[in-house]
Amino acid sequence: MEQRTVNLEFRKANLEERKIEGYAAVFSDEYTKLRDRWGDSFYEKISQGAFLKTLADKTRDKFMLINHDWNKVVGRTNSNLELEEDSKGLKFSLEIPNTSDGNDLLENVRLGLIKGCSFGFNIVNQKTRWDDDWNFYRDITEVDLFEVTATPLPAYSDTEINCRSEQLSSISIKEMREKEKSKITNNDNKENEINEKRGAEILSAFFYGFNFKNGKDE
């Protein structure tokens, strides 16, 4: 499961009614710079529409947690948590439960201690590419969403965050880059072999035709 941490944007916080609304993810035309486990950077963005299918699946509830702790559930779809995707991003509305964790969340929001939101997901579909300088880009076009999380950790910056992910922790951008370069080299070698073979066949056909014509002339 992958996780991303962004600034928690509260659209409205009605603490007296114990309700908070905001965005757990915000779409952008700009790519976010991330780093893998070894510190190599790559660029990523979540495309508009990425949450539509997973939110339409009503057979499995999504949850709101505190710090990705499944022992601290404060929201659940089909109960007190509403999630929807709009043109801006992944919007949430939470009716905070009157529980110890819910009351802690309420107080932390009131004091401004909770300033981040993270969401846990698996990638279903993506588009990837390398630029001319061998920087890796990926556009996430569909995700399987599990949870959104309230966290005291804000985004590291507007353009760069660390990637804390079980899936990506085992992926090396450097290794992926070397494999891609090797693939391109192999493809170029194969293409050269094909071109050489075609050239030899054309040359052979030319000499065969030339010899056949000369034979007829004799």
Side-chain angles (χ1 to χ4, degrees):
M1 182 175 71
E2 304 217 12
Q3 299 170 1
R4 297 292 181 275
T5 303
V6 298
N7 285 330
L8 180 61
E9 181 177 327
F10 288 112
R11 188 171 64 87
K12 183 172 65 175
N14 191 330
L15 301 185
E16 292 184 358
E17 295 184 6
R18 303 177 64 89
K19 188 173 183 178
I20 56 176
E21 298 177 358
Y23 287 87
V26 177
F27 301 132
S28 173
D29 292 333
E30 301 296 325
Y31 284 90
T32 299
K33 185 177 182 180
L34 297 94
R35 296 186 182 277
D36 66 10
R37 182 180 179 182
W38 293 271
D40 291 314
S41 61
F42 65 101
Y43 299 87
E44 176 187 275
K45 70 177 179 179
I46 299 181
S47 302
Q48 186 172 347
F51 297 101
L52 292 179
K53 285 187 178 180
T54 190
L55 294 179
D57 180 7
K58 305 300 183 183
T59 63
R60 180 170 55 80
D61 289 344
K62 286 76 175 174
F63 298 85
M64 188 161 191
L65 314 176
I66 297 177
N67 286 330
H68 297 289
D69 188 343
W70 287 94
N71 293 312
K72 295 183 177 181
V73 177
V74 292
R76 180 173 186 155
T77 54
N78 296 314
S79 178
N80 65 326
L81 174 66
E82 294 181 5
L83 294 171
E84 67 171 304
E85 179 185 317
D86 61 19
S87 60
K88 185 173 183 178
L90 178 61
K91 181 180 174 182
F92 73 87
S93 176
L94 175 72
E95 294 182 3
I96 302 174
N98 188 18
T99 63
S100 57
D101 291 329
N103 292 331
D104 287 345
L105 173 61
L106 190 68
E107 182 65 7
N108 286 332
V109 169
R110 186 184 70 80
L111 294 175
L113 301 179
I114 295 291
K115 291 186 176 181
C117 188
S118 180
F119 51 101
F121 64 98
N122 282 336
I123 295 175
V124 178
N125 286 310
Q126 62 182 340
K127 296 178 181 178
T128 62
R129 64 181 175 88
W130 299 87
D131 67 11
D132 293 337
D133 295 322
W134 288 103
N135 293 309
F136 181 67
Y137 290 81
R138 75 174 180 181
D139 295 56
I140 299 175
T141 57
E142 183 182 347
V143 303
D144 186 12
L145 181 69
F146 298 102
E147 46 93 0
V148 294
T149 283
T151 172
L153 296 175
Y156 293 88
S157 73
D158 291 337
T159 57
E160 182 172 349
I161 62 175
N162 285 329
C163 184
R164 297 180 297 174
S165 158
E166 294 177 4
Q167 181 178 346
L168 279 179
S169 64
S170 61
I171 291 178
S172 166
I173 296 300
K174 181 179 179 180
E175 183 177 328
M176 291 171 59
R177 184 182 295 113
E178 294 305 317
K179 286 183 178 179
E180 186 67 19
K181 287 182 178 180
S182 177
K183 185 194 303 182
I184 291 176
T185 299
N186 291 336
N187 288 340
D188 287 344
N189 290 337
K190 287 181 180 179
E191 187 174 342
N192 288 336
E193 289 176 3
I194 292 173
N195 290 336
E196 289 175 1
K197 184 177 179 181
R198 286 176 179 171
E201 289 174 349
I202 292 171
L203 190 61
S204 176
F206 170 78
F207 280 114
Y208 174 79
F210 178 78
N211 291 335
F212 180 76
K213 181 178 183 300
N214 287 344
K216 286 186 66 175
D217 291 342
E218 292 175 358

